[in-house]
Amino acid sequence: GDSVTQMEGPVTLSEEACLTINCTYTATGYPSLFWYVQYPGEGLQLLLKATKADDKGSNKGFEATYRKETTSFHLEKGSVQVSDSAVYFCALSRGSGYALNFGKGTSLLVTP
Amino acid sequence: EAGVTQFPSHSVIEKGQTVTLRCDPISGHDNLYWYRRVMGKEIKFLLHFVKESKQDESGMPNNRFLAERTGGTYSTLKVQPAELEDSGVYFCASSQDLVGNSPLHFGNGTRLTVT
């Protein structure tokens, strides 16, 4: 079945450091890929998405590129801020009408 | 607009008791989803309503779980009787269109602890 694998956390970075959170997936066909973020005390929010190979999703300085050849969708940011501290979830959907499959989540802590 | 609202935010019950979780989706959202995250594991899909109908309940773990969405508005998820392994955070989400076509809006979750 479909599945998503994320790097284990927690990840601790200093402010302005570079961030990469790895995400790989297993799915039949051509799923849509998502990154969701959960800030402390809040629900999950869609951060970015990509719906086909080579698409790049971006938002709030974060980027992720849909790589079909490596079945990956790594999340990157060039300079993190303290306010980026949150749990990040990679997810996929086989298509319209199919539920999201999530990874385990990666906790990020950014220190001043 | 008001977001997805879940009640209660926390619930602590003893094994064998009954608990009912409630979700109020964003007004006008026909699609409502329940997910669960057990500590340290993935967020798992439980079921999907389209209006008042169960579109997909393949993720419901067993018959101790009962979900309803009367009138296609709010939804409840009842666990009866609760077991220790039911502990986790239960998320509700709603969307105007199907997943992939429009974003999911999540509630803050209900943290359920079964002792």
Side-chain angles (χ1 to χ4, degrees):
Chain A
D2 298 346
S3 65
V4 174
T5 302
Q6 290 181 235
M7 61 186 290
E8 295 285 333
V11 174
T12 302
L13 295 174
S14 298
E15 204 166 22
E16 299 184 3
C18 293
L19 168 72
T20 299
I21 299 178
N22 291 335
C23 171
T24 57
Y25 68 90
T26 302
T28 54
Y30 302 92
S32 294
L33 302 174
F34 306 81
W35 276 100
Y36 278 79
V37 58
Q38 184 181 20
Y39 297 104
E42 299 183 12
L44 281 77
Q45 303 172 25
L46 177 64
L47 180 60
L48 54 85
K49 71 175 185 179
T51 57
K52 60 183 187 295
D54 300 325
D55 267 3
K56 178 185 285 187
S58 61
N59 186 24
K60 300 182 180 181
F62 290 89
E63 293 183 338
T65 301
Y66 189 141
R67 301 286 188 198
K68 187 173 184 302
E69 64 275 14
T70 55
T71 61
S72 65
F73 193 55
H74 304 323
L75 183 67
E76 299 176 324
K77 187 174 186 181
S79 176
V80 294
Q81 306 300 312
V82 172
S83 57
D84 294 327
S85 298
V87 181
Y88 293 82
F89 294 91
C90 186
L92 70 81
S93 173
R94 196 182 296 178
S96 178
Y98 288 91
L100 285 171
N101 280 283
F102 286 91
K104 292 184 179 182
T106 303
S107 176
L108 170 66
L109 175 63
V110 181
T111 58
Chain B
E1 63 180 3
V4 176
T5 309
Q6 292 187 245
F7 303 97
S9 57
H10 294 83
S11 180
V12 181
I13 62 172
E14 293 183 352
K15 176 182 173 181
Q17 290 185 320
T18 298
V19 63
T20 300
L21 314 180
R22 172 170 169 145
C23 169
D24 286 72
I26 292 174
S27 177
H29 282 193
D30 288 340
N31 294 278
L32 187 149
Y33 303 81
W34 282 98
Y35 286 83
R36 175 176 72 172
R37 186 185 189 202
V38 173
M39 184 63 70
K41 298 196 175 181
E42 298 87 349
I43 298 174
K44 289 289 192 182
F45 166 78
L46 296 178
L47 87 159
H48 169 207
F49 283 101
V50 177
K51 297 185 179 178
E52 68 275 8
S53 299
K54 292 176 184 175
Q55 182 76 10
D56 180 358
E57 52 184 331
S58 61
M60 295 287 265
N62 52 62
N63 60 10
R64 296 185 294 103
F65 289 75
L66 175 63
E68 295 180 323
R69 191 181 182 194
T70 306
T73 54
Y74 70 92
S75 175
T76 58
L77 180 64
K78 179 189 290 187
V79 185
Q80 180 182 29
E83 298 289 344
L84 298 178
E85 64 265 25
D86 300 332
S87 296
V89 180
Y90 290 76
F91 291 103
C92 175
S94 72
S95 66
Q96 192 165 24
D97 203 344
L98 295 171
V99 170
N101 294 341
S102 63
L104 276 183
H105 298 264
F106 280 82
N108 289 358
T110 294
R111 181 174 296 278
L112 174 64
T113 302
V114 182
T115 62

